[in-house]
Short mmCIF file of all heavy atoms in Angstrom, two decimals:
data_model
loop_
_atom_site.label_atom_id
_atom_site.label_comp_id
_atom_site.label_asym_id
_atom_site.label_seq_id
_atom_site.Cartn_x
_atom_site.Cartn_y
_atom_site.Cartn_z
N GLY Y 180 -30.54 -2.45 -0.65
CA GLY Y 180 -31.69 -3.11 -0.12
C GLY Y 180 -32.13 -2.50 1.20
O GLY Y 180 -32.73 -3.32 1.98
N GLU Y 181 -31.79 -1.26 1.51
CA GLU Y 181 -32.23 -0.66 2.79
C GLU Y 181 -33.27 0.34 2.54
O GLU Y 181 -33.39 0.95 1.44
CB GLU Y 181 -31.04 0.03 3.41
CG GLU Y 181 -29.90 -0.80 3.79
CD GLU Y 181 -30.16 -1.76 4.97
OE1 GLU Y 181 -31.10 -1.38 5.74
OE2 GLU Y 181 -29.50 -2.74 5.18
N ASN Y 182 -34.14 0.58 3.50
CA ASN Y 182 -35.23 1.54 3.45
C ASN Y 182 -34.77 2.96 3.31
O ASN Y 182 -33.66 3.28 3.86
CB ASN Y 182 -36.17 1.38 4.65
CG ASN Y 182 -36.89 0.12 4.70
OD1 ASN Y 182 -37.16 -0.54 3.63
ND2 ASN Y 182 -37.21 -0.39 5.80
N ASN Y 183 -35.49 3.83 2.76
CA ASN Y 183 -35.19 5.17 2.57
C ASN Y 183 -35.19 5.87 3.92
O ASN Y 183 -35.79 5.47 4.87
CB ASN Y 183 -36.05 5.93 1.60
CG ASN Y 183 -35.89 5.54 0.16
OD1 ASN Y 183 -34.89 4.76 -0.11
ND2 ASN Y 183 -36.66 6.07 -0.75
N VAL Y 184 -34.48 7.05 4.01
CA VAL Y 184 -34.51 7.88 5.22
C VAL Y 184 -34.96 9.25 4.84
O VAL Y 184 -34.81 9.70 3.68
CB VAL Y 184 -33.15 7.93 5.90
CG1 VAL Y 184 -32.65 6.59 6.29
CG2 VAL Y 184 -32.08 8.52 4.93
N SER Y 185 -35.47 9.98 5.75
CA SER Y 185 -36.06 11.28 5.48
C SER Y 185 -35.17 12.45 6.09
O SER Y 185 -35.45 13.60 5.95
CB SER Y 185 -37.50 11.44 6.00
OG SER Y 185 -37.59 11.16 7.38
N SER Y 186 -34.22 12.05 6.93
CA SER Y 186 -33.36 13.09 7.58
C SER Y 186 -32.02 12.42 7.97
O SER Y 186 -31.85 11.23 8.01
CB SER Y 186 -34.06 13.57 8.88
OG SER Y 186 -34.13 12.51 9.87
N MET Y 187 -31.08 13.28 8.34
CA MET Y 187 -29.75 12.87 8.71
C MET Y 187 -29.88 12.04 10.02
O MET Y 187 -29.21 11.01 10.19
CB MET Y 187 -28.86 14.05 8.98
CG MET Y 187 -27.37 13.63 9.33
SD MET Y 187 -26.50 12.94 7.84
CE MET Y 187 -26.16 14.46 6.97
N THR Y 188 -30.73 12.49 10.90
CA THR Y 188 -30.88 11.88 12.18
C THR Y 188 -31.40 10.34 11.97
O THR Y 188 -30.96 9.44 12.61
CB THR Y 188 -31.82 12.56 13.15
OG1 THR Y 188 -31.35 13.90 13.45
CG2 THR Y 188 -31.99 11.80 14.47
N GLU Y 189 -32.32 10.24 10.99
CA GLU Y 189 -32.85 8.90 10.66
C GLU Y 189 -31.80 8.02 10.07
O GLU Y 189 -31.64 6.82 10.38
CB GLU Y 189 -34.05 9.02 9.75
CG GLU Y 189 -34.76 7.70 9.51
CD GLU Y 189 -36.06 7.84 8.61
OE1 GLU Y 189 -36.47 9.02 8.48
OE2 GLU Y 189 -36.52 6.80 8.14
N LEU Y 190 -30.89 8.56 9.19
CA LEU Y 190 -29.82 7.84 8.69
C LEU Y 190 -28.84 7.33 9.77
O LEU Y 190 -28.36 6.21 9.82
CB LEU Y 190 -29.05 8.63 7.67
CG LEU Y 190 -27.78 8.06 7.05
CD1 LEU Y 190 -28.13 6.87 6.20
CD2 LEU Y 190 -26.95 9.09 6.30
N ILE Y 191 -28.56 8.29 10.67
CA ILE Y 191 -27.66 7.83 11.80
C ILE Y 191 -28.26 6.76 12.69
O ILE Y 191 -27.55 5.85 13.04
CB ILE Y 191 -27.34 9.09 12.67
CG1 ILE Y 191 -26.49 10.24 11.84
CG2 ILE Y 191 -26.61 8.78 13.96
CD1 ILE Y 191 -26.42 11.51 12.51
N GLU Y 192 -29.53 6.92 12.92
CA GLU Y 192 -30.20 5.85 13.77
C GLU Y 192 -30.12 4.50 13.19
O GLU Y 192 -30.06 3.49 13.85
CB GLU Y 192 -31.64 6.28 14.01
CG GLU Y 192 -31.77 7.51 14.95
CD GLU Y 192 -33.17 8.04 14.97
OE1 GLU Y 192 -34.03 7.75 14.06
OE2 GLU Y 192 -33.52 8.80 15.92
N LYS Y 193 -30.20 4.39 11.84
CA LYS Y 193 -30.28 3.13 11.21
C LYS Y 193 -28.97 2.50 10.70
O LYS Y 193 -28.85 1.38 10.41
CB LYS Y 193 -31.20 3.07 10.03
CG LYS Y 193 -30.74 3.83 8.77
CD LYS Y 193 -31.63 3.60 7.60
CE LYS Y 193 -31.61 2.18 7.16
NZ LYS Y 193 -32.51 1.83 6.03
#
Side-chain angles (χ1 to χ4, degrees):
E181 297 288 341
N182 293 331
N183 286 358
V184 297
S185 60
S186 68
M187 185 73 76
T188 300
E189 189 176 344
L190 176 68
I191 293 168
E192 288 172 341
K193 73 170 293 178

